[in-house]
């Protein structure tokens, strides 16, 4: 299956730029995919802009961040493109959890490359967000190959592993309430067992707390975490990554935000901080 041409699904002008949603055939995932891109005012072939990739969490699509985070205003000011892919492959031929659980299958791709059937034929979100999608974006739009990555929850896990596994590919990485040690928490254990099999050794290459130990690049990390997040103690466990970072000397800032939960109200409250953090690195 070849990567198909882009089909425009929707376009809306906002803050002087354009929010556009596209559909295309993904050769990596073997299905049709959608993504949304925000292009700031002034983006052109003569003046390409850097890109921030946003990876969303469980149950989300490309639209959650675009419609709820309020990111376009500050991205327009800073001259940043935003790209938000879907969270998993989708379609009639794409397998889903037989119990329709929210934390496995459709909407829960976990940004890894599955090795177990029937998932391995489609669930290769890591290759899609690291390689296929950026190549497509950089060919089709007035953007540069200067890029960064961030995400929320499962998408925060995705952002961290993309950056830690690819030294030099991203200028910045940040996350909201990320799953930092999926091997040790229920969400990750369920996903890894299904997608990767029961050999826990194979899980290590998809766990930020393990990858940080031997990372070839010490790219600084910014994390925001709400202290009233219902998943803080059971699924997220930021203290585990903090312990690793302190031990190996990886630069990381974790900000515990009093009173905030796991929702997009939390993300919208601090998205400006994160975009300014990315802009400094992307344009520095």
């Amino acid at each position: 299956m070849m990567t198909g041409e882009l089909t425009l699904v929707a376009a809306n002008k906002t803050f002087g730029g354009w929010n556009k949603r596209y559909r295309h055939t993904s050769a990596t995932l073997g299905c049709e995919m959608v993504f949304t891109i925000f292009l700031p005012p002034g983006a052109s072939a003569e003046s390409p802009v850097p890109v921030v990739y946003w990876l969303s969490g469980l149950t989300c699509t490309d639209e959650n961040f675009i419609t709820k985070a309020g990111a376009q205003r500050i991205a327009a000011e800073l001259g940043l493109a935003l790209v938000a892919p879907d969270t998993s492959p989708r379609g009639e031929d794409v397998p889903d959890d037989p119990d329709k659980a929210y934390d496995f299958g459709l909407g829960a791709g976990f940004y890894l490359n599955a090795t177990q059937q029937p998932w391995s034929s489609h669930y290769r979100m890591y290759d899609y967000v690291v390689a296929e999608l950026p190549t497509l974006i950089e060919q089709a739009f007035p953007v540069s190959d200067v890029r960064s990555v961030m995400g929320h929850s499962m998408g925060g896990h995705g952002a961290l592993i993309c950056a830690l596994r690819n030294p030099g590919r991203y200028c910045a990485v940040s996350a909201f309430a990320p799953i930092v040690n999926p091997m040790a928490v229920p969400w990750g254990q369920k996903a890894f067992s299904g997608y990767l099999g029961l050999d826990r050794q194979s899980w290590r290459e998809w766990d930020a707390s393990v990858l940080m130990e031997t990372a070839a690049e010490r790219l600084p990390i910014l994390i925001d975490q709400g202290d009233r997040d219902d998943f803080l103690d059971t699924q997220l466990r930021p203290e585990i990554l903090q312990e690793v970072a302190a031990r190996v000397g990886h630069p990381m800032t974790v900000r515990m935000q009093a009173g905030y939960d796991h929702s997009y109200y939390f993300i919208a409250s601090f998205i400006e901080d994160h975009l300014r953090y990315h802009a400094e690195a992307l344009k520095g």
Side-chain angles (χ1 to χ4, degrees):
M1 181 180 293
M2 299 295 290
T3 299
E5 294 184 0
L6 293 175
T7 299
L8 182 65
V9 177
N12 301 93
K13 191 168 185 178
T14 182
F15 296 105
W18 282 94
N19 214 71
K20 297 186 176 183
R21 194 175 193 224
Y22 289 90
R23 179 182 297 112
H24 76 106
T25 299
S26 167
T28 300
L29 303 177
C31 64
E32 279 199 335
M33 289 294 286
V34 293
F35 67 86
T36 299
I37 183 169
F38 170 74
L39 290 168
S44 67
E46 294 73 30
S47 300
V49 296
V51 185
V52 181
Y53 288 85
W54 170 270
L55 307 182
S56 288
L58 290 167
T59 75
C60 292
T61 68
D62 60 299
E63 294 186 290
N64 294 75
F65 174 75
I66 292 298
T67 59
K68 295 180 178 180
Q72 291 91 335
R73 176 185 61 81
I74 192 65
E77 175 193 327
L78 297 172
L80 301 176
L82 304 174
V83 172
D86 203 346
T87 51
S88 79
R90 298 182 196 265
E92 292 184 3
D93 296 330
V94 177
D96 190 12
D97 183 88
D99 298 323
K100 304 298 182 183
Y102 77 95
D103 55 357
F104 191 79
L106 299 185
F110 266 84
Y111 304 103
L112 49 70
N113 290 337
T115 59
Q116 305 299 299
Q117 288 293 349
W119 318 105
S120 58
S121 297
H122 296 282
Y123 283 76
R124 304 185 62 84
M125 286 298 295
Y126 172 80
D127 281 352
Y128 178 71
V129 300
V130 169
E132 183 182 16
L133 182 60
T135 298
L136 180 63
I137 295 295
E138 290 162 19
Q139 290 174 347
F141 299 99
V143 303
S144 70
D145 61 359
V146 179
R147 63 185 82 83
S148 68
V149 63
M150 63 177 175
H152 171 231
S153 195
M154 177 185 72
H157 144 77
L160 292 173
I161 65 168
C162 287
L164 289 166
R165 286 171 58 108
N166 293 278
R169 185 162 183 79
Y170 301 100
C171 295
V173 57
S174 72
F176 292 83
I179 305 169
V180 303
N181 188 199
M183 291 179 63
V185 300
W187 277 341
Q189 290 168 346
K190 179 177 181 178
F192 285 9
S193 295
Y195 294 136
L196 304 173
L198 299 180
D199 179 6
R200 293 177 65 91
Q201 189 65 27
S202 69
W203 299 3
R204 296 174 61 82
E205 62 183 302
W206 305 106
D207 189 302
S209 295
V210 175
L211 293 170
M212 183 180 280
E213 294 271 6
T214 57
E217 177 187 41
R218 295 300 180 194
L219 187 66
I221 297 170
L222 171 64
I223 292 175
D224 271 311
Q225 172 65 61
D227 71 358
R228 293 190 64 186
D229 190 320
D230 290 341
F231 305 111
L232 177 58
D233 296 328
T234 56
Q235 304 281 11
L236 307 177
R237 309 279 311 275
E239 72 278 0
I240 296 176
L241 195 63
Q242 287 178 288
E243 291 170 3
V244 177
R247 184 169 66 251
V248 301
H250 196 113
M252 184 171 72
T253 300
V254 177
R255 307 191 307 185
M256 294 299 296
Q257 303 292 0
Y260 286 90
D261 56 20
H262 200 69
S263 72
Y264 266 85
Y265 293 107
F266 163 54
I267 294 168
S269 299
F270 300 101
I271 191 64
E272 180 170 346
D273 289 358
H274 282 245
L275 288 177
R276 292 193 182 279
Y277 173 80
H278 284 259
E280 185 175 355
L282 289 164
K283 297 187 174 184

